[in-house]
């Protein structure tokens, strides 16, 4: 179960007129959303695809030591964020998945090549366009390693996830006959959680049916997603230009990275949008906490709380996880008193279903707030600007 509180530590910062005006735009926003050609992520995926994903996950698990995912942005953050959340901090026993392609660090890639030298590994290259520089460089280097190790047999080690028809990766699949999956035309990178881009890596260690079921359950949160969008835009109108996502478990850190990409790329256009930022508490209370409490009042916060008290550690007659949540409640009160509005999202438990539903909720809300800001939430023209500069300087 997921609960939302957009009132307790927010209300006094919201202008009622703004709020009602935005609330009244719901039909208009929903119409735009329903007419968009980029909402393929709201459609059910087929049983046939689910079975293919499960079989391929089994093939990877049974035949290799590890899987290397090569992808960046929306082509890796969803599965990475999800996977991180459910792994053990120490002595993790899940199948090893390495994420590459997110950096041009030669040190990283060199060390990765050395690490993979003695591993029997499989590559899953994920890129909708098939032409992303970081992905292509990493793929080139690791494919050379595969060629050196396996010669003609390398085909068994490569799985490509890309556009159905377009792009260099699809052309390569057609030529070489690699196993491949499709990212549908009507789904953009950061909205692609329910595509093979994320479901294949996740199917290796998690129950795919639970992920998919939880994801579509997120549809029930449409009203709350709209209310969250309205509240955020009200914050913007009150000069609260930064949203700080706060989590209380280190392994939820990458969930906030996923959120940052989702909202940053969906909303930051034409001079509007809220800058998404994140804190892991209590760590960051001892660094950025000072700024948030007493600094420039451009920030509002969204706390993600997991209410279930676990049994791990007792401290002075209380469970440590209970203390962690007491701190969360106290921090919200403290920050609110310092002029920082705080939204609360509460999961009763950190389960596969809850996390998948929450992802759907956030995607829906990012699209809605995009429309409320008057921009197109599903494109990212600004990202192209740096890519063009890079291409020019590499000539
Ligand atoms: O959300 C997006 O569309 C982007 O972040 C892309 O996912 C990212 O740039 C990677 O693109 P591609 O999948 O084409 O390699």
């Amino acid at each position: 179960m997921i609960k939302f509180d957009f009132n307790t530590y927010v209300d006094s910062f919201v202008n009622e007129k703004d709020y009602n005006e935005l609330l009244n735009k719901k039909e208009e926003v929903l119409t735009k959303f329903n007419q968009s050609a980029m909402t393929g992520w709201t459609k059910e995926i087929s049983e046939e695809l689910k079975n293919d994903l499960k079989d391929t996950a089994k093939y990877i698990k049974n035949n290799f030591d590890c899987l290397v995912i090569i992808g960046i942005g929306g082509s890796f953050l969803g599965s990475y964020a999800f996977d991180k959340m459910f792994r053990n901090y120490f002595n993790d026993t899940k199948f090893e998945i390495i994420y590459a392609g997110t950096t041009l660090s030669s040190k990283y890639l060199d060390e990765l090549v050395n690490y993979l030298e003695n591993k029997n590994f499989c590559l899953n290259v994920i890129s909708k366009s098939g032409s992303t520089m970081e992905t292509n460089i990493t793929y080139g280097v690791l494919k050379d390693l595969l060629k050196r190790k396996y010669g003609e047999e390398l085909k068994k080690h490569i799985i490509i996830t890309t556009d159905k028809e377009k792009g260099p990766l699809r052309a390569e699949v057609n030529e070489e006959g690699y196993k491949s999956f499709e990212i549908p035309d009507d789904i953009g990178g950061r909205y692609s959680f329910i595509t093979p881009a994320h479901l294949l890596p996740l199917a290796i260690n998690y129950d795919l049916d639970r992920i998919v079921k939880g994801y579509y359950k997120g549809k029930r949160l449409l009203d709350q997603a709209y209310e969250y969008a309205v509240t955020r835009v009200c914050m913007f109108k009150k000069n609260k230009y930064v949203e700080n996502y706060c989590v209380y478990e280190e392994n939820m850190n990458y969930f906030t990275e996923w959120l940052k990409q989702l909202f940053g790329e969906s909303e930051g256009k034409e001079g509007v949008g809220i800058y998404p930022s994140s804190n892991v508490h209590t760590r960051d209370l001892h660094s950025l906490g000072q700024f948030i409490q007493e600094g420039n009042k451009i920030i509002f916060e969204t706390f993600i709380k997991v209410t279930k008290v676990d049994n791990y550690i007792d401290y002075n007659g209380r469970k440590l996880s209970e203390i962690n949540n007491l701190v969360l409640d106290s921090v919200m009160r403290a920050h609110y008193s310092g002029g920082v509005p705080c939204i609360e999202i509460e999961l009763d438990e950190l389960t596969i279903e809850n996390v998948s539903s929450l992802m759907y909720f956030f995607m829906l809300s990012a699209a809605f707030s995009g429309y409320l800001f008057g921009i197109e939430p599903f494109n990212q023209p600004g990202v192209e600007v740096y890519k063009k500069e890079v291409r020019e300087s590499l000539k």
Side-chain angles (χ1 to χ4, degrees):
M1 199 180 52
I2 308 177
K3 286 200 304 198
F4 302 85
D5 186 347
F6 304 118
N7 304 314
T8 312
Y9 299 114
V10 184
D11 258 5
S12 62
F13 292 91
V14 171
N15 175 305
E16 214 178 311
K17 188 168 159 279
D18 287 343
Y19 188 85
N20 288 330
E21 267 173 25
L22 291 162
L23 213 57
N24 288 336
K25 286 189 169 177
K26 192 169 180 179
E27 281 313 304
E28 189 190 318
V29 166
L30 287 181
T31 306
K32 276 192 184 148
F33 180 78
N34 291 328
Q35 284 172 350
S36 166
M38 293 308 290
T39 53
W41 48 275
T42 61
K43 296 179 199 155
E44 300 278 330
I45 62 165
S46 69
E47 281 306 311
E48 194 189 338
L49 175 58
K50 272 199 269 177
N51 290 336
D52 194 3
L53 289 165
K54 286 179 193 168
D55 290 345
T56 310
K58 224 179 269 166
Y59 164 75
I60 295 169
K61 229 175 155 168
N62 292 342
N63 290 284
F64 303 99
D65 301 329
C66 64
L67 171 70
V68 182
I69 302 290
I70 305 177
I72 194 165
S75 285
F76 97 101
L77 272 165
S79 72
Y80 190 55
F82 191 101
D83 190 31
K84 279 269 174 192
M85 236 180 294
F86 293 104
R87 284 197 184 252
N88 287 347
Y89 287 113
F90 302 99
N91 296 324
D92 187 64
T93 54
K94 291 194 165 65
F95 186 81
E96 186 179 17
I97 300 187
I98 297 166
Y99 283 83
T102 60
T103 171
L104 294 177
S105 159
S106 49
K107 180 170 159 48
Y108 179 83
L109 202 48
D110 185 57
E111 286 184 22
L112 179 61
V113 168
N114 288 336
Y115 180 74
L116 293 173
E117 198 72 54
N118 300 316
K119 295 256 177 189
N120 178 24
F121 67 98
C122 179
L123 286 187
N124 181 200
V125 190
I126 308 168
S127 174
K128 186 170 179 191
S129 63
S131 57
T132 298
M133 178 183 61
E134 296 87 337
T135 308
N136 290 351
I137 291 175
T138 309
Y139 177 38
V141 171
L142 296 187
K143 194 172 162 186
D144 280 348
L145 176 63
L146 281 179
K147 263 186 211 153
R148 192 155 48 75
K149 286 179 67 158
Y150 304 104
E152 289 301 301
E153 294 280 286
L154 105 159
K155 191 174 156 180
K156 294 183 185 155
H157 296 251
I158 296 178
I159 300 168
I160 307 277
T161 306
T162 189
D163 187 88
K164 187 166 58 173
E165 288 164 355
K166 297 188 293 274
L169 282 177
R170 179 54 63 191
E172 192 177 333
V173 167
N174 294 341
E175 209 165 290
E176 305 289 346
Y178 297 145
K179 170 74 185 162
S180 76
F181 286 94
E182 292 170 8
I183 304 177
D185 273 352
D186 54 0
I187 304 184
R190 59 194 172 278
Y191 292 87
S192 66
F193 182 71
I194 198 65
T195 74
H198 304 278
L199 294 182
L200 177 61
L202 291 178
I204 294 171
N205 286 309
Y206 305 95
D207 182 338
L208 189 69
D209 293 317
R210 286 181 64 192
I211 296 175
V212 172
K213 200 169 145 220
Y215 177 83
Y216 292 118
K217 256 182 147 178
K219 287 186 181 211
R220 299 178 193 169
L221 302 173
L222 184 139
D223 290 339
Q224 292 90 330
Y226 191 75
E227 203 178 338
Y228 179 48
V230 166
T231 308
R232 295 177 73 254
V233 180
C234 283
M235 293 292 105
F236 181 84
K237 285 178 182 284
K238 284 281 195 174
N239 304 335
K240 303 286 182 195
Y241 298 133
V242 177
E243 178 170 22
N244 189 37
Y245 290 103
C246 300
V247 292
Y248 278 72
E249 188 69 57
E250 186 70 40
N251 65 9
M252 289 178 79
N253 196 9
Y254 274 90
F255 189 69
T256 66
E257 292 303 314
W258 177 79
L259 283 170
K260 286 193 255 189
Q261 194 223 355
L262 176 67
F263 283 96
E265 271 192 352
S266 297
E267 238 174 44
K269 284 157 210 170
E270 300 176 33
V272 296
I274 292 163
Y275 184 83
S277 156
S278 66
N279 274 192
V280 178
H281 290 172
T282 58
R283 184 188 70 198
D284 295 331
L285 292 170
H286 299 259
S287 57
L288 293 164
Q290 171 60 36
F291 186 105
I292 295 162
Q293 188 71 45
E294 295 183 344
N296 194 337
K297 296 295 159 213
I298 51 170
I299 301 172
F300 71 98
E301 297 187 296
T302 295
F303 286 75
I304 303 177
K305 181 178 185 179
V306 179
T307 43
K308 187 176 177 200
V309 172
D310 62 46
N311 269 325
Y312 297 135
I313 307 271
D314 288 316
Y315 180 77
N316 280 351
R318 287 186 200 265
K319 295 287 176 201
L320 189 55
S321 59
E322 190 188 338
I323 297 174
N324 206 13
N325 278 339
L326 278 175
V327 174
L328 185 154
D329 297 338
S330 313
V331 171
M332 279 202 299
R333 284 196 299 275
H335 287 184
Y336 178 72
S337 72
V340 178
C342 300
I343 293 168
E344 188 180 10
I345 299 178
E346 224 181 284
L347 312 185
D348 58 347
E349 213 175 323
L350 198 66
T351 60
I352 287 178
E353 288 81 359
N354 274 346
V355 172
S356 309
S357 295
L358 194 61
M359 288 173 109
Y360 190 94
F361 160 84
F362 277 122
M363 287 190 254
L364 212 48
S365 198
F368 292 162
S369 60
Y371 290 128
L372 288 174
F373 274 121
I375 50 94
E376 168 55 51
F378 298 118
N379 63 10
Q380 56 284 329
V383 181
E384 288 310 310
V385 182
Y386 105 86
K387 289 186 182 171
K388 194 167 157 264
E389 286 292 332
V390 174
R391 278 196 294 271
E392 287 298 315
S393 35
L394 282 175
K395 269 182 187 166

